[in-house]
């Protein structure tokens, strides 16, 4: 039978490709190259990371599927896909380690039952330990481990003292800062790096401007897991930049306490409803990172021991990102 020449009735003589073969292959693991250091991370771990961290890792968007079709290769092809990421590998290790330990403590391991097993009775709608407004459907803190994520990006600008050998102007022949100015910036960065206290700079800003909202922020964080004299969990200079990145992670205080964490039974599990109410306020930052930016002035002495004081004025632009993660 002759094939119809009509464009309406004419069809292909080949069977259409199965829909499944057109779907991108979903990756189970991602291999990330963070400034020369490779990490093999499973998809679930990636998805549990804070959104503020994911935005740093994948500023152009997170891709969890292969671009090739399923018939182009096997599972071994995944090893060939390496995603280059401009992010501090030690900071990434710190985050992964903290989240892994928090997950094991809450959900348990082969050797430890986990806290969730002992507090499962709280999920019972008829439980008398939790007020009605804290029902599990409205309160994921009963069934998930909550982690407060606080990050700081600090850009600093150094103003050398008058008459200093490190001139503020760039080399007119190259347009680049001279070696003396570069060394001065590095020394200033080291001085700032040593200042590891989380709340000192913000508390200084509160005292200067009497900002009640900022004071409330400090108080809320310290009621929810931080201590007022806490230090950044990880803090480092960014390469070839006048910038310091810091991160602090703490478990959210939900008010649920275990008299004996190794006991998988509900015995000894109590709930402080006032603390739970405070913790629920942090749910506003779940999957919704909030940012705060302010300028901070500081004088630092970069002179070495025995040398004449060399005071440098530093202006710092600090950006805080606050987020709540549930794993």
């Amino acid at each position: 039978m002759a094939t119809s020449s009509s464009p309406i009735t004419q069809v292909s003589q080949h069977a259409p490709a199965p829909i499944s073969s057109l779907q991108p292959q979903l990756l189970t693991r991602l291999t990330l190259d963070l400034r020369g250091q490779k990490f093999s991370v499973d998809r679930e771990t990636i998805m549990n990371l804070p959104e503020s961290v994911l935005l740093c890792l994948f500023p152009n968007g997170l891709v969890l599927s292969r671009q090739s079709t399923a018939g182009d290769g096997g599972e071994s092809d995944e090893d060939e896909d390496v995603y280059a990421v401009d992010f501090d590998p030690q900071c990434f290790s710190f985050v992964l380690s903290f989240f892994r330990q928090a997950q094991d403590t809450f959900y348990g391991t082969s050797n430890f039952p986990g806290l969730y097993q002992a507090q499962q009775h709280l999920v019972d709608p008829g439980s008398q330990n939790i007020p009605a407004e804290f029902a599990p459907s409205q309160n994921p803190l009963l069934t998930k481990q909550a982690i407060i994520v606080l990050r700081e990006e600090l850009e600093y600008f150094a103003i050398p003292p008058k008459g200093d050998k490190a001139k503020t102007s760039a080399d007119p022949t190259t347009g680049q800062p001279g070696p003396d100015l570069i060394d001065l910036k590095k020394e200033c960065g080291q001085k700032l790096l040593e200042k590891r206290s989380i709340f000192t700079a913000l508390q200084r800003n509160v005292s200067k401007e009497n900002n009640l909202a900022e004071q409330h922020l400090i108080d809320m964080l310290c009621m929810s897991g931080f201590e007022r004299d806490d230090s950044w969990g990880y803090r480092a200079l960014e390469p070839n930049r006048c910038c310091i990145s810091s991160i602090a992670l703490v478990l959210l205080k939900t008010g649920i306490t275990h008299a004996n964490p190794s006991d998988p039974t509900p015995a000894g599990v109590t709930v402080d409803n006032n603390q739970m109410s405070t913790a629920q306020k942090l749910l506003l930052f779940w999957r919704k990172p909030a940012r705060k930016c302010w300028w901070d002035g500081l004088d630092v002495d970069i002179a070495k021991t025995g040398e004449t004081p060399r005071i440098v004025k530093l202006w710092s632009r600090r950006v805080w990102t606050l987020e709540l993660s549930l794993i």
Side-chain angles (χ1 to χ4, degrees):
M1 182 181 296
T3 303
S4 172
S5 60
S6 169
I8 297 178
T9 59
Q10 189 174 21
V11 297
S12 170
Q13 300 301 308
H14 303 286
I19 295 178
S20 59
S21 67
L22 302 178
Q23 296 291 339
Q25 180 182 354
L26 196 63
L27 294 172
T28 57
R29 298 186 70 84
L30 276 76
T31 301
L32 308 179
D33 184 342
L34 277 68
R35 298 176 182 173
Q37 185 171 340
K38 290 184 179 180
F39 294 81
S40 180
V41 190
D42 61 77
R43 182 174 65 241
E44 182 180 359
T45 299
I46 290 288
M47 296 307 298
N48 278 337
L49 291 176
E51 287 202 16
S52 57
V53 174
L54 286 175
L55 286 173
C56 294
L57 292 171
F58 308 101
N60 297 322
L62 174 61
V63 178
L64 292 177
S65 60
R66 292 176 57 87
Q67 298 304 309
S68 58
T69 60
D72 291 342
E75 290 292 328
S76 60
D77 287 350
E78 292 186 14
D79 296 334
E80 302 175 0
D81 291 337
V82 179
Y83 296 84
V85 178
D86 185 18
F87 192 77
D88 189 326
Q90 294 184 14
C91 182
F92 189 57
S93 294
F94 171 76
V95 174
L96 289 180
S97 177
F98 189 98
F99 271 64
R100 186 182 306 113
Q101 183 176 355
Q103 185 168 349
D104 290 346
T105 301
F106 188 74
Y107 293 105
T109 63
S110 58
N111 301 319
F112 180 76
L115 302 180
Y116 178 58
Q117 183 175 343
Q119 64 187 52
Q120 278 188 328
H121 66 288
L122 299 177
V123 183
D124 181 5
S127 173
Q128 300 300 314
N129 297 308
I130 298 290
E133 60 267 25
F134 294 159
S137 60
Q138 303 296 325
N139 185 12
L141 300 180
L142 297 175
T143 56
K144 298 288 185 179
Q145 174 64 70
I147 300 173
I148 305 177
V149 182
L150 184 62
R151 297 180 60 248
E152 180 186 73
E153 295 291 328
L154 186 160
E155 290 186 274
Y156 65 92
F157 306 86
I159 303 177
K162 187 176 182 180
D164 194 89
K165 61 180 180 179
K167 298 180 180 180
T168 56
S169 59
D171 186 340
T173 61
T174 63
Q176 299 295 325
D180 290 333
L181 183 55
I182 293 176
D183 289 343
L184 178 139
K185 291 181 177 181
K186 290 180 179 178
E187 292 168 359
C188 290
Q190 289 298 326
K191 287 293 182 180
L192 287 174
L193 199 60
E194 296 170 1
K195 301 181 183 299
R196 300 185 61 88
S197 177
I198 295 176
F199 297 109
T200 297
L202 186 57
Q203 191 66 64
R204 184 166 57 242
N205 198 51
V206 170
S207 302
K208 181 177 65 176
E209 301 184 1
N210 193 28
N211 191 315
L212 296 180
E214 292 179 353
Q215 185 62 59
H216 177 70
L217 172 62
I218 295 175
D219 294 340
M220 179 183 66
L221 291 176
C222 291
M223 291 176 62
S224 303
F226 285 98
E227 300 292 338
R228 294 187 184 274
D229 58 351
D230 268 349
S231 299
W232 292 105
Y234 182 80
R235 184 171 172 85
L237 277 162
E238 290 292 315
N240 303 317
R241 293 178 59 196
C242 292
C243 180
I244 295 175
S245 296
S246 307
I247 189 168
L249 306 171
V250 296
L251 300 180
L252 174 66
K253 290 182 179 179
T254 59
I256 303 175
T257 57
H258 298 248
N260 183 7
S262 62
D263 184 359
T265 66
V269 178
T270 59
V271 181
D272 183 331
N273 294 328
N274 290 330
Q275 182 65 46
M276 176 64 78
S277 180
T278 300
Q280 282 195 298
K281 296 178 182 179
L282 269 296
L283 286 173
L284 292 173
F285 304 102
W286 177 31
R287 295 177 178 171
K288 297 177 182 178
R291 288 177 177 83
K292 172 179 175 51
C293 175
W294 78 97
W295 286 89
D296 183 36
L298 190 66
D299 292 333
V300 297
D301 184 2
I302 63 173
K304 295 179 174 58
T305 304
E307 293 182 349
T308 303
R310 190 183 181 194
I311 308 300
V312 178
K313 182 71 174 181
L314 289 179
W315 287 104
S316 303
R317 180 178 180 270
R318 300 175 185 263
V319 180
W320 273 21
T321 303
L322 174 63
E323 182 181 356
L324 186 72
S325 288
L326 297 180
I327 57 176

